[in-house]
Amino acid sequence: MEQKKEKLAIITEDGHEGIQKLKDRKLTDLFSFDAITSVKQAESLPSSTDYTGAFIMTMGNKMTFTDARAIAEIVVEKSPKLRWVHTLTTGVDFLLSLKLSEAKHITFTNAKGAYTRPLAEFVLMTVLYFAKKMPVFMKQKREHKYEKHVTQLAHKAHVGIIGYGNVGRAVAKLLKDSLEAKIYAITNDPVSEEEKASLEFVGKTEDMDKMFPKVDYVVTILPLTPKTKGLINASTFKLMKPETIFMNIGRGPAVNEKDLIEALKKGTIAGAGLDVFEVEPLPQDSPLYDMDNVLLTPHSTDITDNMLDLSLDCFQTTLHNFLHNKPHFNKVNMELGY
């Protein structure tokens, strides 16, 4: 007798190419599924479904994260057999609702590790962008000026990383391999003695003030939780050196944007490389657009030509673990928010 397949609710926008990619990988041979593309469709589900898992396959474009969360809440409520929810994204702040966090019987997983390389490359690019005085030279180019300036060596740069998780470690590795950078880490999670030996400094959030005077670059890679919202603010920037280049590739609201703009205007810090913002899309009247000392990308650092494949690689591994009752390497702690 053939073993009954697991049934998944795939929460996604209508016509998402990921459905076909799942079929091309023959993953849909391993489970049956329904594609749920709207809140209305979710509301029309029977009061008790037979879903055992759910895959939130959206990046917040055609289907907003608000709708994705609302659908997930309905699916969880109507699916007594549901044991697993996976999201295409790394960040899970959009899922941190009371209804979902109270579902203790469900394991939540994310795309941990899928986007580490492109995010690390953004940091490397930003270090070189400012070390080689590209803002100055690009401005001269626009003004048809030809003036020489002294640039900096990025070799052995001192880089502080706030949020030394999966992405933070990828950033550290790339900077060490390419620039022999000296890495300072801020993390509230355990770090092995062996790993500590490879770092210049390891501290917790309350130790940031000890790190800032020692580094030339600060990279924030924080998830969005009640504890991290606005963690980087005016008092934080005042502790940094005037030469500091600040970067945010985590979650925009972890940084008080008004305070950041003020620090950039006053010269409290030298510049910033930003891929995420407090409000997205970044409002057209934001002063950040007009600041020569800001490198700005529209939350697109992890949008590469193989982005979906990278995330589906992660889903495939996680699906295998789910089907065979194996531990998940990418389990999310819904209380901590990451």
Side-chain angles (χ1 to χ4, degrees), residues 178-236:
S178 57
L179 302 176
E180 295 184 48
K182 307 298 181 182
I183 305 298
Y184 300 70
I186 294 292
T187 177
N188 291 330
D189 296 327
V191 177
S192 69
E193 291 302 317
E194 181 182 358
E195 190 170 18
K196 282 181 182 178
S198 69
L199 300 168
E200 303 299 312
F201 174 88
V202 180
K204 295 184 180 295
T205 305
E206 58 267 27
D207 299 316
M208 288 192 296
D209 60 329
K210 298 172 187 172
M211 180 188 77
F212 290 140
K214 302 174 183 177
V215 299
D216 307 304
Y217 301 88
V218 174
V219 188
T220 303
I221 320 174
L222 293 169
L224 180 57
T225 70
K227 288 185 177 181
T228 63
K229 187 173 182 180
L231 180 66
I232 310 300
N233 51 46
S235 60
T236 319

